[in-house]
Amino acid sequence: MKRNCTRRFSRKRRSAFQLIAVNRELQQPVTAIKGIGEETSEALREMGITTIEELLMHIPYRYEDYEVKDLAEVKHDEKVTVEGKVYSEPSLTYYAKKKSRLTFRLLVGRYLITVVCFNRPYLKQKLSMNDTVTVIGKWDRRRQAITANELKLGPLPQKRELEPVYSVRGSVTVKGMRRFIQLALAQYGEAIIDPLPLSMRRTYRLISKQEAIRAIHFPRSHEELKQARRRLVYEEFLLFQLKIHALRKVQREHSKGIAHSFAPEKLHDFIARLPFSLTKAQQRVVREILTDMQSPYRMNRLLQGDVGSGKTVVAAIVLYAAVLSGYQGALMVPTEILAEQHAQSLQALFASTDVTVALLTSSVKGKKRKEILEQLACGTIDIVVGTHALIQEEVNFQKLGLVITDEQHRFGVEQRRILREKGQAPDVLMMTATPIPRTLAITAFGEMDVSVIDEMPAGRKKVQTYWVKHHMFERVLDFMEKEIQKGRQAYVICPLIEESEKLDVQNAIDVHSMLTHYYRGKYNIGLMHGRLSSEEKEEVMKAFSENRVQVLVSTTVVEVGVNVPNATVMVIYDAERFGLAQLHQLRGRVGRGDEQSYCILIADPKSETGKERMRIMTETTDGFVLSEKDLQLRGPGDFFGTKQSGMPEFKFGDVVHDYRILEVARNDAAKLVQSTAFWRDESYQWLRLYLHESGVLDGEKLD
Ligand code: ADP
Ligand code: MG
């Protein structure tokens, strides 16, 4: 009993990546290592290291590079290690209180160079002519000099080129840590089990696990380090992907989801009555989703489609399918404006059917709210569109069969779970307009099936994008005016000030009054921000969509989903404050009708990446290209801007740089899980055991 508990605990703690698959011997306390006593063990415990495995998995965060190169090959400012003989008496000068400079000449092979040491006056006593010393520092090519970071008396400390540097705490030193790990490797290195069968290692020429762990700590060369990393990254990604694929298999086999069944003619009629014909991509994703819904598996699908690719109508079609099968559907969106718009679009689309669509947000109150809640519970409402209001406890469904979330990355795992659990294993579809880079899609969303709308409705013109500096603002306003005179409308989005809605609002108010002044009342300028009540917001949006307002000054509340096809100009003020994904979203508000649209970025970015972002925006309108760039510029951690995104953390792998390995590992994992050999052959026993230990096979969920 007790054993079981501790196993569960350790499983949780190590769930990110169980590195050395399940080897009991390595799970002994570090004191089992000869040479590590109680005192050291206590110090290590302070650092979270208790077992031998944990010690071996304490990976260097960098390496001291002792590689000795011929000085002729070292670039200016590059770090260099040299061993040489002191060739002149060191001279010491003080140039300020306690600031000193020590210089001497050093003979390195056939080169005579200068060594400069700052603020280490005591070295003067220790150095004498002809002494052999090792110097690590920055190479100044022009002056043929090294500014020393480290100076050691004596020859190169080891013949090893790379020396591991560990993060340490308390009484543990880096040197000590090197020694402990050396002891652990010497006594227990052999006990490291390789979970990868030899056949797999051969295929990719991967070094063994034992070799890799040794080399990641004490690499004999850069090449060896590279091979060790490659091997460990592959294993890490493979285990991660195996878990995902095994989980999917288990879920498919055991899930008692809903097998939706409906008359296809009715659905065809509905599609035929739409004001446009579906794009090929829309047809394909509808088919994918419906197939999933008809199967008894519980659908868990991500629908990706760039802004304007037409996800709403796809949602409508599959919601209709759910209703035709006798179930209710729910569509959850992140903002009230979006909820209202979606409710309106769906009501329009379903006008010719007997499907009832209701809107539920926190501003639906009193009697109306009570009514909707009752009708949801007894099933007279077929489809409900709403915000977080949908996951309140008071909301109950009679028979919820399909849950859709729009802009799904805005919701946390927990919120999606609550909504899901309002039905009996309903099918789940998550929509997103943030094109997720492939890299992230297969890590963060690996456990889902993915459908992609990769085609825009015909006749869409690309939004022309320009980047201008602030001093050109008046010309931008004149350009806007020309468009307005053609009967078009414009958005002006105001700077985003992080963490301060109040400042955002103030900005919008300022820009609004500036425009009112500039156009001297010729046009109606609307103002939209998060401090307005939802009635006020709705009124402004309504006025804008009916062209009673020609220019809408707004904070980023219009970012998602808003649809006013007559708007052709999107001006984004201080555009450098926005991320690429967000700029792309904003740009997606125009170019929704037949007219040529424009996006104007006003920005004076100071940093190079800021400039780079502006350039990329003007160069491409492809959301996937943008998202890949965004990922490269910002890194995966920042991409979604939230910890809830479910991005796993890897110890060795980097989803951006090691993308190729990730892709290979994913394909391998998918094939393995489907093969009979994997579930039977002895060579896969460790991988199978790993899956057992991580709880995937007894149906535990990843999220
Ligand atoms: P998003 O994917 O950004 O949510 P929407 O669903 O809002 O996009 O669709 C954008 C616009 O394109 C809407 O006005 C919608 O009516 C229109 N639309 C959707 N599908 C098509 C199509 N196949 N042909 C023409 N217009 C379409
Ligand atoms: Mg949308």
Side-chain angles (χ1 to χ4, degrees), residues 20 35 78 82 86 110 193 213 271 288 301 313 329 398 425 432 451 490 494 519 535 583 600 622 635 656:
I20 299 180
E78 199 180 327
V82 293
V86 178
R110 58 204 158 93
I193 289 167
I213 295 292
I271 294 172
E288 287 168 359
R301 188 171 278 277
V313 69
Q398 195 239 349
T432 181
S451 288
C494 290
Y519 291 132
E535 291 86 49
L583 289 173
I600 299 166
D622 184 327
V656 179

Side-chain angles (χ1 to χ4, degrees), residues 7-269:
R7 250 188 65 188
R8 281 203 160 254
F9 170 68
S10 77
R11 169 190 299 171
K12 264 249 142 15
R13 194 158 45 83
R14 304 192 308 164
S15 64
F17 178 33
Q18 199 166 15
L19 285 139
I20 299 180
V22 293
N23 188 333
R24 299 273 171 263
E25 219 180 315
L26 298 179
Q27 294 186 16
Q28 300 180 77
V30 288
T31 43
I33 299 170
K34 282 190 212 77
I36 294 188
E38 281 304 328
E39 209 173 308
T40 305
S41 143
E42 195 45 52
L44 288 173
R45 195 197 319 278
E46 303 268 296
M47 296 180 52
I49 297 172
T50 55
T51 65
I52 303 174
E53 173 179 340
E54 283 160 350
L55 181 59
L56 288 174
M57 277 305 116
H58 192 67
I59 304 299
Y61 68 93
R62 68 179 182 88
Y63 300 84
E64 203 60 79
D65 192 344
Y66 289 110
E67 189 186 15
V68 183
K69 291 186 196 162
D70 191 311
L71 280 172
E73 286 164 21
V74 181
K75 293 191 203 75
H76 183 66
D77 265 1
E78 199 180 327
K79 198 174 164 194
V80 67
T81 305
V82 293
E83 180 190 302
K85 278 194 172 21
V86 178
Y87 205 72
S88 72
E89 277 304 331
S91 87
L92 180 66
T93 46
Y94 281 87
Y95 56 94
K97 205 176 174 189
K98 290 200 172 172
K99 302 232 166 181
S100 68
R101 180 173 48 222
L102 181 84
T103 51
F104 62 94
R105 307 280 279 165
L106 186 72
L107 185 64
V108 182
R110 58 204 158 93
Y111 303 98
L112 189 59
I113 63 169
T114 305
V115 175
V116 187
C117 281
F118 287 102
N119 307 326
R120 272 167 287 181
Y122 51 87
L123 283 174
K124 185 170 164 66
Q125 306 309 320
K126 299 197 170 175
L127 293 171
S128 20
M129 288 287 284
N130 279 326
D131 278 358
T132 299
V133 294
T134 300
V135 181
I136 302 173
K138 225 195 214 172
W139 177 233
D140 184 332
R141 202 185 161 103
R142 267 162 272 151
R143 293 172 40 218
Q144 297 281 294
I146 293 181
T147 311
N149 296 329
E150 269 187 65
L151 191 149
K152 292 184 183 165
L153 302 178
L156 277 175
Q158 262 106 11
K159 282 302 148 215
R160 195 185 304 123
E161 291 175 351
L162 295 163
E163 196 148 75
V165 182
Y166 297 95
S167 71
V168 286
R169 240 185 299 150
S171 59
V172 182
T173 61
V174 173
K175 258 194 181 153
M177 190 54 100
R178 284 180 193 149
R179 198 165 52 82
F180 304 147
I181 289 174
Q182 234 147 10
L183 288 172
L185 278 171
Q187 294 167 42
Y188 288 91
E190 301 274 299
I192 297 173
I193 289 167
D194 200 329
L196 300 184
L198 199 60
S199 59
M200 288 181 95
R201 271 166 42 205
R202 286 224 177 95
T203 313
Y204 299 123
R205 296 172 206 275
L206 296 173
I207 61 174
S208 75
K209 176 83 171 239
Q210 292 183 6
E211 239 337 74
I213 295 292
R214 188 202 49 76
I216 201 84
H217 288 291
F218 303 109
R220 283 185 281 245
S221 66
H222 283 278
E223 179 56 26
E224 202 179 65
L225 179 60
K226 201 172 121 194
Q227 291 306 329
R229 256 201 94 244
R230 192 168 74 90
R231 145 79 216 217
L232 293 168
V233 170
Y234 175 78
E235 179 184 328
E236 182 171 41
F237 284 160
L238 182 77
L239 292 184
F240 176 72
Q241 294 288 336
L242 267 182
K243 216 155 119 177
I244 285 171
H245 285 272
L247 183 76
R248 261 163 81 164
K249 187 175 148 81
V250 170
Q251 276 179 348
R252 295 223 140 198
E253 283 165 6
H254 296 287
S255 81
K256 297 179 228 29
I258 302 165
H260 287 275
S261 97
F262 47 86
E265 307 82 55
K266 283 214 162 178
L267 208 57
H268 286 148
D269 285 352

Side-chain angles (χ1 to χ4, degrees), residues 311-312 342 406 561:
K311 292 183 296 297
T312 315
H342 272 327
D406 197 6

Side-chain angles (χ1 to χ4, degrees), residues 434-444 579-581 609 613 616 623-641 645 647 654-659 662:
T434 308
I436 297 158
R438 290 181 308 157
T439 36
L440 294 192
I442 64 177
T443 47
L580 278 175
T609 41
R613 283 210 304 256
I616 295 167
F624 282 94
V625 173
L626 282 168
S627 69
E628 291 283 354
K629 291 276 190 206
D630 209 15
L631 180 63
Q632 284 163 15
L633 290 176
R634 292 201 289 169
D638 277 351
F639 186 80
F640 295 104
S645 62
M647 271 299 292
D654 174 321
V655 294
V656 179
H657 292 107
D658 302 319
Y659 177 64
L662 179 60

Side-chain angles (χ1 to χ4, degrees), residues 374-592:
E374 277 168 14
Q375 292 178 339
L376 274 176
C378 72
T380 40
I381 289 175
D382 299 311
I383 295 170
V384 65
V385 182
T387 51
H388 296 84
L390 290 181
I391 55 175
Q392 303 310 310
E393 216 178 298
E394 50 173 3
V395 181
N396 289 300
F397 292 83
Q398 195 239 349
K399 221 179 159 192
L400 180 62
L402 175 63
V403 167
I404 304 183
T405 48
D406 197 6
E407 295 305 324
Q408 70 87 26
H409 64 281
R410 296 273 187 115
F411 296 102
V413 170
E414 189 55 17
Q415 293 169 326
R416 298 196 300 249
R417 188 187 58 78
I418 297 174
L419 182 57
R420 201 165 66 213
E421 287 179 358
K422 289 195 181 282
Q424 287 274 321
D427 283 331
V428 175
L429 180 69
M430 288 160 267
M431 307 201 291
T432 181
T434 308
I436 297 158
R438 290 181 308 157
T439 36
L440 294 192
I442 64 177
T443 47
F445 303 108
E447 78 278 21
M448 299 177 202
D449 294 295
V450 179
S451 288
V452 183
I453 308 183
D454 50 7
E455 178 189 359
M456 287 288 174
R460 286 283 165 74
K461 293 197 178 70
K462 279 195 176 150
V463 178
Q464 287 180 18
T465 305
Y466 302 97
W467 166 29
V468 302
K469 302 280 172 74
H470 275 101
H471 64 83
M472 290 167 77
F473 192 47
E474 285 199 3
R475 283 174 59 186
V476 173
L477 293 181
D478 293 342
F479 176 79
M480 258 165 65
E481 182 160 24
K482 285 207 187 91
E483 284 291 302
I484 296 167
Q485 282 166 351
K486 285 193 233 162
R488 312 278 168 261
Q489 291 161 274
Y491 294 95
V492 178
I493 304 298
C494 290
L496 172 87
I497 290 161
E498 227 121 284
E499 312 297 341
S500 170
E501 196 196 8
K502 203 170 152 203
L503 286 174
D504 282 2
V505 169
Q506 192 51 49
N507 265 318
I509 292 170
D510 291 348
V511 172
H512 178 261
S513 66
M514 179 169 75
L515 291 192
T516 311
H517 183 74
Y518 191 84
Y519 291 132
R520 294 182 304 276
K522 277 185 281 182
Y523 315 110
N524 287 327
I525 318 285
L527 176 64
M528 167 84 99
H529 55 69
R531 290 288 165 93
L532 298 180
S533 73
S534 56
E535 291 86 49
E536 288 167 316
K537 277 188 214 160
E538 189 171 0
E539 179 42 41
V540 177
M541 267 333 288
K542 198 150 175 276
F544 189 62
S545 61
E546 290 167 1
N547 200 359
R548 283 184 280 122
V549 159
Q550 284 73 46
V551 180
L552 183 63
V553 176
S554 175
T555 58
T556 49
V557 291
V558 298
E559 183 191 339
V560 281
V562 172
N563 189 21
V564 179
N566 191 48
T568 56
V569 185
M570 166 61 66
V571 176
I572 305 172
Y573 210 86
D574 282 349
E576 76 271 20
R577 291 182 189 264
F578 299 84
L580 278 175
Q582 206 172 13
L583 289 173
H584 183 63
Q585 285 289 318
L586 288 167
R587 179 166 61 183
R589 297 308 110 216
V590 296
R592 308 194 133 232

